[in-house]
Amino acid sequence: MFDVEWTPDARELADLELLLSGAFQPLTGFLGHDDIHLVHERGTLADGTPWPAPVTIHLPDEVTPGDEVTLLDPEGVPLAVLTVTEHPADGPAAGPVRGLGAAEHGPFARLRRTPDEVRVELGGRPALAVTMRGPLDDLNEILATAKELDAVILLLPLSYGEAGPALVRAALKAKGQLPESTIVVPVPLAPREEPEIDLELREHIAFSYGATEHLAGPDPVRIPGPPHRRGLVVFFTGLSGSGKSTIARGLRDSLLELGTRTVTYLDGDVVRHLLSKGLTFSKADRDLNIRRIGFVAAEAARHGGLAICAPIAPYAATREEVREMVESVGADFLLVHVATPLEECERRDRKGLYAKARAGLIPEFTGISDPYEEPDDADLVVDTTHLSVEAAVEQVLARLRDGRWIR
């Protein structure tokens, strides 16, 4: 048996909290192959119980059935133990989860309550549950329905992701205009892509918390700010010697001269010496290095900053992770492929790295003994073979002007 610690992604952590609280009853763990298949095909679990959406988790490849996995939050706090019953290759794992204590971290932790705790507070009284993904602009329907049912109003802000704290604040503001008996309980239900399935899950959550009737609050209308005020990550990728760092530095200098954006610069070599010191050039460590760069860049862009990154970033899946990381905080992502051919990069080879790699002195060297996956989703492609640094920088600046990220 293999014991391992693992931090699930944000959606999996949200589902884990709902499994542990009982909000996803009758589920007691993550679903296996048969349940997932029938949920997709018929909307039921394998035993015939109606269930609208898969609840899944992905674990490291080395985990096998019979292993116990301690699931951690992003700060490393143990949340639960998952006993693995299934783990097919390239598929989600399955198994029951056992909680290791109540959730104590995150905004508004004091408001979290389990369905059982809320049912005790209701004391058998009818309840009108309102699930919220956005602010409640009109409370008249809620008040009228609650009066008709003689029901306690239960506001359930679905506080998943970056918008979660603001949504809970909106629920507390609405509570101030509703009867004193109104209860507010944050529920971290991640949205599902299909509106019908999302609504079914919302209804299931509502009735788990003791609702007699359920109202789905309106979805928020999101009007993004103008591009020049939104966070942006300009992410350069390319072979060693392609010119990406030189272009990135030139872009940084031009933006600083312009003076209209706050600029953070994350060069691949500098990050290696500081943020990722000690990492090797194995695929796992390369991926970790890029994730660290992506995390810092997303944090810089979260409140409107502009971050410039210039790693090699050879793997498409990891670049896509960074894009998702950035977009999840409401910022924009611009992928620039510096597509200078390998022969030209070798010809430049100021550091002698390619020569050493050809001689076998540097293992796992991108372009020689390790692959570079050229992006097919680049927002801009620049080949510096016959292009000056100034001209290359101007191409990137022109793209930023076209996108209205700079004025």
Side-chain angles (χ1 to χ4, degrees):
M1 190 167 79
F2 179 71
D3 293 329
V4 66
E5 293 183 336
W6 181 250
T7 301
D9 66 25
R11 178 178 291 268
E12 293 165 347
L13 282 170
D15 285 348
L16 174 64
E17 184 171 334
L18 297 174
L19 286 169
L20 295 175
S21 74
F24 270 172
Q25 60 180 312
L27 301 191
T28 57
F30 292 98
L31 301 184
H33 174 272
D34 291 348
D35 283 324
I36 293 170
H37 174 72
L38 287 172
V39 164
H40 281 303
E41 292 295 317
R42 302 179 188 172
T44 71
L45 302 174
D47 64 4
T49 303
W51 188 262
V55 178
T56 59
I57 188 170
H58 286 80
L59 297 176
D61 293 340
E62 61 267 23
V63 173
T64 59
D67 292 343
E68 290 196 338
V69 180
T70 300
L71 302 177
L72 312 175
D73 74 5
E75 297 178 4
V77 176
L79 299 176
V81 173
L82 166 62
T83 302
V84 180
T85 56
E86 295 180 29
H87 193 201
D90 300 321
V97 292
R98 171 173 54 85
L100 297 176
E104 297 177 353
H105 300 278
F108 299 105
R110 61 185 173 81
L111 295 178
R112 296 183 198 174
R113 274 172 280 180
T114 68
D116 285 346
E117 290 168 342
V118 172
R119 285 175 177 272
V120 168
E121 185 170 349
L122 290 172
R125 294 174 294 171
L128 171 64
V130 183
T131 55
M132 300 169 54
R133 289 216 184 274
L136 301 172
D137 297 323
D138 185 0
L139 302 178
N140 290 327
E141 181 184 5
I142 296 172
L143 287 165
T145 306
K147 183 176 181 180
E148 181 182 338
L149 297 171
D150 190 24
V152 176
I153 298 171
L154 177 60
L155 298 182
L156 302 176
L158 305 177
S159 55
Y160 173 79
E162 293 295 316
L167 191 56
V168 178
R169 287 194 294 271
L172 292 172
K173 180 180 178 182
K175 173 180 166 64
Q177 305 172 58
L178 293 169
E180 190 176 340
S181 59
T182 299
I183 301 169
V184 175
V185 180
V187 179
L189 178 66
R192 268 53 182 183
E193 291 182 4
E194 297 179 40
E196 297 83 1
I197 290 177
D198 193 58
L199 179 59
E200 282 188 58
L201 269 181
R202 290 168 72 164
E203 288 186 342
H204 183 92
I205 293 288
F207 293 123
S208 292
Y209 275 91
T212 316
E213 189 78 25
H214 169 238
L215 284 179
D219 288 338
V221 177
R222 292 188 175 90
I223 304 174
H228 70 275
R229 291 184 180 172
R230 289 207 299 271
L232 172 67
V233 173
V234 182
F235 193 95
F236 291 88
T237 176
L239 294 169
S240 177
S242 62
K244 62 187 180 304
S245 293
T246 307
I247 300 170
R249 284 194 298 269
L251 176 64
R252 174 200 62 189
D253 295 346
S254 296
L255 292 173
L256 290 174
E257 290 174 14
L258 191 61
T260 58
R261 300 288 310 236
T262 301
V263 179
T264 300
Y265 176 60
L266 297 165
D267 177 69
D269 290 338
V270 174
V271 168
R272 274 278 176 185
H273 287 300
L274 298 172
L275 189 64
S276 295
K277 188 173 184 179
L279 293 186
T280 69
F281 286 89
S282 68
K283 184 178 188 306
D285 278 3
R286 285 174 186 265
D287 286 344
L288 179 56
N289 179 52
I290 300 306
R291 289 190 190 101
R292 289 178 178 178
I293 291 173
F295 173 77
V296 174
E299 289 301 301
R302 181 191 296 271
H303 300 296
L306 189 154
I308 301 169
C309 312
I312 292 174
Y315 306 120
T318 319
R319 294 192 298 261
E320 181 59 29
E321 278 188 57
V322 174
R323 182 189 290 273
E324 291 174 1
M325 221 182 285
V326 171
E327 293 178 347
S328 74
V329 302
D332 295 331
F333 184 86
L334 187 77
L335 182 64
V336 180
H337 179 204
V338 184
T340 308
L342 176 62
E343 313 81 65
E344 176 63 16
C345 295
E346 282 200 75
R347 188 189 66 77
R348 296 173 181 177
D349 201 15
R350 292 185 300 120
K351 302 176 184 177
L353 298 177
Y354 282 100
K356 290 178 181 177
R358 293 283 187 193
L361 300 176
I362 304 178
E364 300 174 305
F365 190 84
T366 301
I368 304 298
S369 51
D370 211 57
Y372 176 78
E373 299 173 0
E374 293 202 358
D376 57 12
D377 60 341
D379 301 288
L380 177 66
V381 178
V382 179
D383 182 347
T384 66
T385 305
H386 304 294
L387 198 65
S388 69
V389 174
E390 292 76 13
V393 170
E394 184 51 44
Q395 283 191 15
V396 182
L397 286 170
R399 182 67 183 83
L400 295 185
R401 291 190 195 98
D402 290 344
R404 296 186 295 120
W405 286 294
I406 59 172
R407 298 191 298 176

